[in-house]
Amino acid sequence: MPNAPTRRAALALLAAAALPCGLARAQDEVAPATLVGLDALLDEAASLDALETVLVSRRRTVLAERGYGGAAPDRPTNIKSASKTIVSALVGIAIERGLLEGVDQPVAPLLRDKLPADPDPRLYRITIGHLLTMRAGLERTSGANYGSWVASRDWVRDALARPFVDEPGGTMLYSTGSTHLLSAILARESGRSTRALAEDWLGAIDGFRITGWETSPAGIHLGGNQMAMTPRSLLAFGETYAAGGRAADGTRVVPESWIAQSWMPRTRSRFTGDGYGYAWFAREIGGRDVRYAWGYGGQMLYVVPDLDLVVAMTSDETRPSARTGYRDRLHALLGDIVAVVSRE
């Protein structure tokens, strides 16, 4: 019986032979040891019992992908709060197209009919940028408050009626309500649903498709949660950011300047200690600067810019990932992937 390294090398060759010609040729340019090393890592990753898929791409070449426990890279899954990065991309595109003025634009005039009857004057100081960075200052609608928020009849009005617990532009207060306000603004200013905008503006990304997206009682797509897509679609979105905002055919999708702005840490998460930009977390993993999206349960999209490496991981959406240490194990898995790829 062949030993494990020999078996993995044979599996890598068989997998390459089964790929479309273009992808097989691209993999031919990758060191065999890299493919074997990634295969071994994804074998070991099966011990993470909540893990459902892992996909590894470099320079838009998929080097490895795996599904666990019946999950598959081409099967839609709920990416949870990783969808906040999708909404952030739409905001950047809306600014470029002139639908929004910019990140310093005040929010209150855009949602004037949803403001409380006697609004706190600080509502008029909240900007698009504050919503993107979770620094609106309003009481969070995530965590313990999430249930009461989504049970309300008007999610926009409820989010704006929350009491201030900090000043606008203060500390980061992670709140899906902030991203939902962005979804409402995008829909109002464009006259189209947020999902229609995503399908149009991000449609040039090969393989990108949203298969499901929950709406509020008012019919507004939930900004920053309850979005379904395949792990391959999530990976393709990350590849577009890694490529400076261009789709595989060269079409400009996301402004390159917006990516740079989004990846610049502007605050810090009190839960993780990581930097946070426009819906992207920032930290060092495996000795490399990494930008990542994170959704409940362990829905992860990692971009390692200096390696042109993109990794998507999806997990059981019903199980927490932060307090259990599971998210940290996913970070460690990425660190191992970075180590293998860095040996080339």
Side-chain angles (χ1 to χ4, degrees):
M1 179 178 292
N3 59 32
T6 302
R7 178 183 68 83
R8 291 185 179 120
L11 286 172
L13 290 172
L14 287 171
L19 292 169
C21 293
L23 187 52
R25 283 195 297 271
Q27 280 211 347
D28 285 343
E29 301 173 3
V30 180
T34 298
L35 299 178
V36 172
L38 292 174
D39 181 69
L41 283 179
L42 298 198
D43 277 352
E44 295 168 4
S47 64
L48 298 171
D49 61 353
L51 189 61
E52 294 186 345
T53 66
V54 180
L55 299 87
V56 182
S57 169
R58 191 177 191 197
R59 304 186 188 104
R60 279 208 163 97
T61 296
V62 176
L63 303 183
E65 61 177 32
R66 194 72 58 86
Y68 305 92
D74 60 355
R75 184 174 300 167
T77 189
N78 189 341
I79 66 170
K80 305 297 279 188
S81 285
S83 60
K84 289 179 171 64
T85 62
I86 309 295
V87 175
S88 172
L90 297 179
V91 171
I93 297 169
I95 291 172
E96 182 190 45
R97 295 184 177 218
L99 289 175
L100 297 176
E101 296 173 7
V103 294
D104 295 326
Q105 183 176 6
V107 168
L110 301 174
L111 300 170
R112 59 175 59 87
D113 61 315
K114 299 294 184 179
L115 298 178
D118 184 20
D120 186 309
R122 287 173 289 186
L123 280 172
Y124 295 93
R125 291 164 43 200
I126 299 174
T127 65
I128 296 288
H130 291 152
L131 298 181
L132 286 164
T133 56
M134 303 290 180
R135 295 185 299 157
L138 294 166
E139 179 184 68
R140 299 171 63 230
T141 58
S142 293
N145 296 328
Y146 184 81
S148 63
W149 176 58
V150 296
S152 69
R153 297 180 63 182
D154 190 325
W155 297 356
V156 172
R157 190 181 299 278
D158 183 275
L160 290 169
R162 298 270 163 170
F164 277 89
V165 295
D166 199 355
E167 295 298 310
T171 56
M172 179 181 176
L173 297 165
Y174 191 90
S175 179
T176 297
S178 288
T179 320
H180 185 67
L181 293 179
L182 292 172
S183 179
I185 289 168
L186 287 166
R188 283 191 169 206
E189 295 305 296
S190 69
R192 305 166 67 190
S193 74
T194 316
R195 180 170 180 175
L197 294 179
E199 291 170 345
D200 181 7
W201 294 353
L202 303 176
I205 301 174
D206 188 28
F208 180 87
R209 189 165 73 92
I210 296 171
T211 60
W213 195 354
E214 183 178 325
T215 59
S216 72
I220 299 168
H221 286 90
L222 175 47
N225 201 2
Q226 303 302 91
M227 177 189 288
M229 65 174 60
T230 68
R232 284 179 182 157
S233 180
L234 182 62
L235 184 79
F237 177 78
E239 289 175 330
T240 302
Y241 264 67
R246 292 190 181 275
D249 64 1
T251 302
R252 168 67 63 192
V253 179
V254 183
E256 187 170 17
S257 60
W258 182 253
I259 295 174
Q261 293 176 57
S262 300
W263 282 354
M264 182 184 300
R266 299 166 188 278
T267 186
R268 191 164 296 278
S269 169
R270 61 177 178 173
F271 298 118
T272 68
D274 295 343
Y276 194 73
Y278 294 156
W280 287 89
F281 289 92
R283 72 177 293 146
E284 183 179 292
I285 299 177
R288 306 279 182 168
D289 284 333
V290 175
R291 299 297 181 266
Y292 72 95
W294 167 32
Y296 184 87
Q299 324 312 321
M300 316 298 295
L301 177 62
Y302 297 102
V303 180
V304 188
D306 64 347
L307 290 177
D308 200 359
L309 177 70
V310 182
V311 178
M313 303 181 190
T314 63
S315 308
D316 183 343
E317 66 173 89
T318 67
R319 299 166 64 175
S321 62
R323 65 177 181 268
T324 63
Y326 175 71
R327 181 207 58 228
D328 295 336
R329 291 192 286 275
L330 296 182
H331 286 347
L333 175 57
L334 176 71
D336 291 339
I337 291 170
V338 165
V340 169
V341 172
S342 296
R343 295 188 194 119
E344 284 194 2

